[in-house]
Amino acid sequence: METIKKQNIQTLDLSSPIWERVFTIAPLVVIGTIEGSKYDLAPKHMVTPMGFGNYFGFVCTPRHSTYQNIKQTGNFTVSFPKPEQVVHTSLSATPRSQCISKSDDILDSLSVVKATTMDVPMIAGAYFYLECELFKIIDGFDDFSMITGVIKAAHVDKDYLRVSEYDERDQLRRNPLLAYIAQGRFAHISETFNFPFPKDFKN
């Protein structure tokens, strides 16, 4: 096996984070939590199912209220916004100010709904919702942590529900997905193709 050819390849300096030097694609979600007697919403893109069971995880940091809120209450929600909600998603990152709390800011700016199994907010009009109970927090990724939860309830917009009778390509063309292009860009995904799995491939 040959070593990677460096004709058109640049080796990155690991003394600084590499993730701002390349484009990567990820889901964009809004995490909802309770903060004292108020609510908090925060956009996240380092998110993933934890295996094929009903577990979900995302990267956060103890410096953020989201981390501390979940550690204290043990609950959080996940909203998957539609592409036309990208501005709403951005507004959920509104920083606190001395004059008004973030909770007041986002509740005045965004349409929110309450989860069915917990008193935690979600973004109204999203296409997919998860209501999660804290499973475990894994600290130690420098200043960051992986927060994982057990999914207690899940809800999906019927237009986004996978049904065998539907043509998936046409369904996604009519109901595109919102993706985050790290760092700082987004995309509407509406054109998709069947993945060329090998014959008899199984997960």
Side-chain angles (χ1 to χ4, degrees):
M1 183 183 300
E2 294 183 0
T3 303
I4 187 171
K5 289 183 170 57
K6 294 197 174 183
Q7 183 177 358
N8 196 42
I9 295 291
Q10 178 177 332
T11 299
L12 298 177
D13 181 1
L14 298 182
S15 65
S16 59
I18 63 174
W19 302 112
E20 294 184 3
R21 303 294 308 279
V22 296
F23 297 111
T24 56
I25 190 168
L28 183 60
V29 306
V30 177
I31 304 294
T33 57
I34 304 172
E35 185 168 341
S37 61
K38 301 197 174 191
Y39 297 129
D40 185 56
L41 293 168
K44 303 289 181 184
H45 75 276
M46 291 184 176
V47 305
T48 184
M50 303 301 293
F52 287 92
N54 292 328
Y55 298 89
F56 180 85
F58 68 96
V59 173
C60 196
T61 171
R63 293 182 283 104
H64 289 176
S65 295
T66 301
Y67 176 105
Q68 299 300 334
N69 295 344
I70 294 171
K71 192 170 184 179
Q72 182 172 359
T73 68
N75 293 315
F76 64 93
T77 62
V78 187
S79 303
F80 286 73
K82 296 175 182 176
E84 61 267 24
Q85 294 180 295
V86 68
V87 173
H88 293 75
T89 305
S90 174
L91 286 173
S92 69
T94 302
R96 292 166 172 77
S97 68
Q98 292 181 347
C99 301
I100 190 168
S101 72
K102 181 180 177 183
S103 177
D104 292 334
D105 270 343
I106 56 180
L107 290 178
D108 286 344
S109 304
L110 304 176
S111 178
V112 297
V113 293
K114 189 170 74 170
T116 62
T117 63
M118 55 191 69
D119 182 22
V120 185
M122 303 185 292
I123 297 291
Y127 74 89
F128 187 35
Y129 298 104
L130 303 176
E131 303 177 18
C132 299
E133 180 181 282
L134 177 62
F135 179 63
K136 65 174 66 174
I137 298 176
I138 306 170
D139 296 315
F141 301 98
D142 293 333
D143 192 28
F144 291 86
S145 306
M146 174 65 80
I147 297 177
T148 64
V150 179
I151 299 169
K152 292 300 183 181
H155 319 279
V156 63
D157 183 317
K158 291 180 180 179
D159 290 335
Y160 286 81
L161 183 64
R162 295 184 70 175
V163 180
S164 58
E165 291 80 17
Y166 293 171
D167 180 286
E168 291 183 347
R169 184 175 184 181
D170 182 59
Q171 185 180 9
L172 287 167
R173 184 180 287 122
R174 288 183 286 107
N175 304 285
L177 302 179
L178 175 62
Y180 185 74
I181 312 295
Q183 297 284 343
R185 301 186 69 83
F186 70 94
H188 296 188
I189 299 179
S190 59
E191 187 62 35
T192 62
F193 308 92
N194 287 328
F195 191 84
F197 287 111
K199 185 179 178 180
D200 299 326
F201 174 84
K202 295 181 181 179
N203 288 328

